[in-house]
Amino acid sequence: MFVFYWIVGVLVGAVLLAGLARRLRAPYPAFLALGGVGIAFIPGVPSLSLDPELALALFLAPVLMDAGYSTSLRDLKRNARPIAGLAVGAVAATTAAVAAVALWLVPDMPLAAAIVLGAIVAPPDAVAALSVLGHVSLPHRLATILRGESLLNDAASLLIYRLGVAAAVTGHFSFAEVAPAFAIGVVGSLVAGPLAALVYLRILRRVEEPMSVIVLQFSAAFGLWIAAEALELSGVLTVVSFAITVARRAPGQTSPRLRVISNAVWDTAIFVLNVLAFVLIGEQIGPILARMTPEQEFAYASVAGAVVVTVILVRIAWVLPASAIRRVGFGTDPADRDDPRKSRDLGLGAGFAVSWSGMRGLVTIATALALPEGGPGGGFPYRDLIVLTAFCVVIGTLVVQGLTLRPILAWLGLEDSDPVGREVGRARAEAYGAAVEALSGDRSEAADALRREFHAALAKAEAHEEGLAPEGLPTDRPRRRAIHAARDRLLALRRDGRIGDDAYFVLEEELDWAELNATPRGEA
């Protein structure tokens, strides 16, 4: 029973920390990380164990599925060079630098274990960076690059991680032996993901109940990862390619009600997974600290501090030179290149913004937790040091970079030319035009009322210099006022006992959907 109370208390504490983070406009993972530090020093904490083999599937599969679903394939292609440079080049450079620092400070550490440490701390976390970027006006291209990097860098880091773990555990490694299998695995993953998506969508057509669909979504994420790993494919690439394919094909067969419910469930699940990860890593830190001698405390602290500094400096050293090269840099958004009013090179400021957005988070924690606890010599070589260092890197980058990113971005003064907003405005005008055409043969009073609404919005679009339609229809504001009055009357009817709760909830859902339809996205 105590474990249940503990879990409830942890979740409530996480909600409070996330609320504080929102008020401070800081990344909520930074506050969860600080909560994990607190858990490490709380006596009597109940032991929550997790099979290391389950860690990657549990934590990474849903996060990658969610990120892949919301990723623009078009924007990935437009920014392929900088994304590839960060997702592959920066990961490799960080891994090598961290391994070199670890071997310098701990000469007895096996090379494979040092490489594993580098692979664990190499990939930045999208959840942490984007939770900050949501509070600032960052150029669209930079946000796209950061999303694309976080989506694909896991594949590079996990490849190095798995090779390093295998070499450390078996004591044998030959790149010539694994290279063909790796190439086949990459190609196979990029084929298997889309094929699985087509099968999944055929199944989804037969399921309409939201709860069943959401269960299928999570089952697909976990099942696809497990199947890919069993077939020696890349779980990351398989899940990501699956999610991107579903995102391109599913909207036409998904109801609005399901999308609203599904988005809320997935956002909650990602939050709970972050909480669980920081709780589990915090629980592992406590026993590690208890086992350490005073000499080890100094040595481990030195390694952790050096690695934190290394991952920050290597990213800066990798990104800033690239920002000076226009073809692979972080300057003008491709959508703005044909518009001289908005086409301008963002220069070193954009490069520094990208380099400072390298907070580590869930991926680093998951790979640290996934390190095998058994094996030759009683466990993975220097597992305690690696887990502790990984946790310090997460804490250090989330606190140092996460809490300073927003003021730094404000100081740099990077402005977004809002290419997404312009695309939305133009597409909205075309959508309104299609709606008017669909009503052309209907002469009913209801159709006339709708036509007047759409014509008024189209008139504003025609008067706009770029042809952007306004957000919402002219009747949205009075409609919301009417809905609020109707809602107040329903509450009075229920309070007076003239209608029961069952009738009230049916009407409340109707008014909720009507109000959502009349509420601009920023006010929802």
Side-chain angles (χ1 to χ4, degrees):
M1 197 66 175
F2 176 68
V3 174
F4 175 74
Y5 295 151
W6 169 254
I7 293 174
V8 172
V10 165
L11 290 176
V12 172
V15 170
L16 294 176
L17 289 173
L20 178 60
R22 282 193 297 272
R23 289 182 65 88
L24 298 176
R25 295 186 177 183
Y28 77 79
F31 287 77
L32 296 183
L34 294 175
V37 173
I39 289 174
F41 294 98
I42 297 176
V45 173
S47 176
L48 302 176
S49 59
L50 178 68
D51 184 349
E53 295 184 1
L54 177 61
L56 294 179
L58 175 63
F59 292 118
L60 296 191
V63 171
L64 291 170
M65 179 75 84
D66 183 58
Y69 191 86
S70 58
T71 296
S72 167
L73 185 60
R74 183 201 67 175
D75 289 344
L76 281 181
K77 292 177 179 178
R78 284 181 172 180
N79 298 282
R81 290 177 183 271
I83 290 175
L86 291 171
V88 179
V91 165
T94 302
T95 301
V98 169
V101 169
L103 292 174
W104 174 52
L105 295 175
V106 189
D108 293 337
M109 176 182 282
L111 174 61
I115 292 175
V116 167
L117 171 59
I120 287 174
V121 301
D125 178 45
V127 175
L130 296 180
S131 61
V132 176
L133 302 181
H135 298 293
V136 295
S137 179
L138 189 71
H140 175 253
R141 190 187 186 205
L142 301 191
T144 299
I145 290 170
L146 291 173
R147 291 190 186 96
E149 175 201 7
S150 63
L151 191 67
L152 301 178
N153 61 11
D154 299 340
S157 63
L158 282 178
L159 168 65
I160 300 172
Y161 170 85
R162 292 190 183 282
L163 295 178
V165 169
V169 172
T170 65
H172 171 72
F173 173 75
S174 172
F175 183 77
E177 295 177 3
V178 302
F182 164 69
I184 294 173
V186 170
V187 175
S189 300
L190 297 177
V191 172
L195 288 179
L198 297 178
V199 175
Y200 169 81
L201 290 172
R202 291 182 67 88
I203 297 173
L204 204 61
R205 293 193 188 101
R206 303 175 182 273
V207 183
E208 298 180 357
E209 216 287 316
M211 288 184 294
S212 299
V213 172
I214 292 172
V215 169
L216 284 177
Q217 290 173 346
F218 281 96
S219 299
F222 294 123
L224 201 60
W225 181 283
I226 294 170
E229 295 296 310
L231 296 173
E232 297 186 352
L233 303 177
S234 167
V236 174
L237 294 178
T238 305
V239 171
V240 168
S241 60
F242 171 90
I244 291 176
T245 304
V246 170
R248 299 285 291 182
R249 294 175 175 268
Q253 65 182 68
T254 304
S255 68
R257 180 168 180 263
L258 174 59
R259 277 195 293 271
V260 171
I261 296 173
S262 178
N263 289 338
V265 170
W266 275 87
D267 288 344
T268 304
I270 300 303
F271 175 74
V272 171
L273 286 175
N274 272 273
V275 174
L276 178 60
F278 282 108
V279 168
L280 290 173
I281 196 73
E283 287 194 342
Q284 293 211 9
I285 296 303
I288 290 175
L289 295 176
R291 291 192 294 267
M292 290 167 53
T293 65
E295 293 78 11
Q296 285 179 319
E297 289 179 0
F298 177 77
Y300 283 21
S302 300
V303 173
V307 171
V308 172
V309 173
T310 300
V311 297
I312 293 175
L313 293 182
V314 168
R315 184 174 177 87
I316 293 174
W318 181 271
V319 171
L320 287 185
S323 66
I325 305 174
R326 190 174 179 84
R327 289 193 65 193
V328 297
F330 307 98
T332 305
D333 192 294
D336 291 336
R337 287 174 184 164
D338 296 329
D339 190 340
R341 296 171 300 175
K342 301 178 178 63
S343 181
R344 61 187 183 89
D345 188 24
L346 298 176
L348 291 177
F352 187 76
V354 171
S355 68
W356 202 249
S357 302
M359 290 82 75
R360 272 60 176 178
L362 186 60
V363 175
T364 294
I365 291 177
T367 47
L369 291 173
L371 279 176
E373 299 182 8
F380 190 85
Y382 287 90
R383 186 181 190 277
D384 283 358
L385 173 60
I386 293 174
V387 171
L388 180 63
T389 302
F391 186 56
C392 289
V393 169
V394 172
I395 291 287
T397 56
L398 283 175
V399 171
V400 174
Q401 294 180 302
L403 299 183
T404 60
L405 180 58
R406 187 174 66 89
I408 286 176
L409 291 177
W411 174 71
L412 290 172
L414 299 176
E415 297 180 358
D416 187 16
S417 61
D418 197 19
V420 174
R422 297 199 304 277
E423 288 184 357
V424 168
R426 295 183 186 121
R428 185 183 288 124
E430 291 199 24
Y432 288 169
V436 171
E437 290 180 11
L439 297 170
S440 60
D442 191 339
R443 298 303 174 188
S444 64
E445 292 184 5
D448 286 339
L450 278 176
R451 267 193 296 269
R452 285 194 294 272
E453 285 193 54
F454 287 122
H455 278 306
L458 286 171
K460 290 187 177 181
E462 292 174 1
H464 194 280
E465 62 177 357
E466 294 188 54
L468 308 187
E471 186 173 0
L473 295 171
T475 57
D476 283 348
R477 189 178 298 276
R479 182 178 283 113
R480 291 199 300 274
R481 187 167 63 249
I483 290 170
H484 291 164
R487 197 184 301 278
D488 290 341
R489 178 58 59 87
L490 286 179
L491 287 169
L493 291 173
R494 185 176 71 162
R495 187 169 53 248
D496 296 342
R498 295 167 62 185
I499 61 172
D501 284 355
D502 290 339
Y504 172 78
F505 290 137
V506 170
L507 294 169
E508 181 186 49
E509 183 178 11
E510 292 178 4
L511 292 179
D512 286 344
W513 283 106
E515 185 171 356
L516 284 174
N517 290 335
T519 302
R521 178 169 53 90
E523 301 177 16

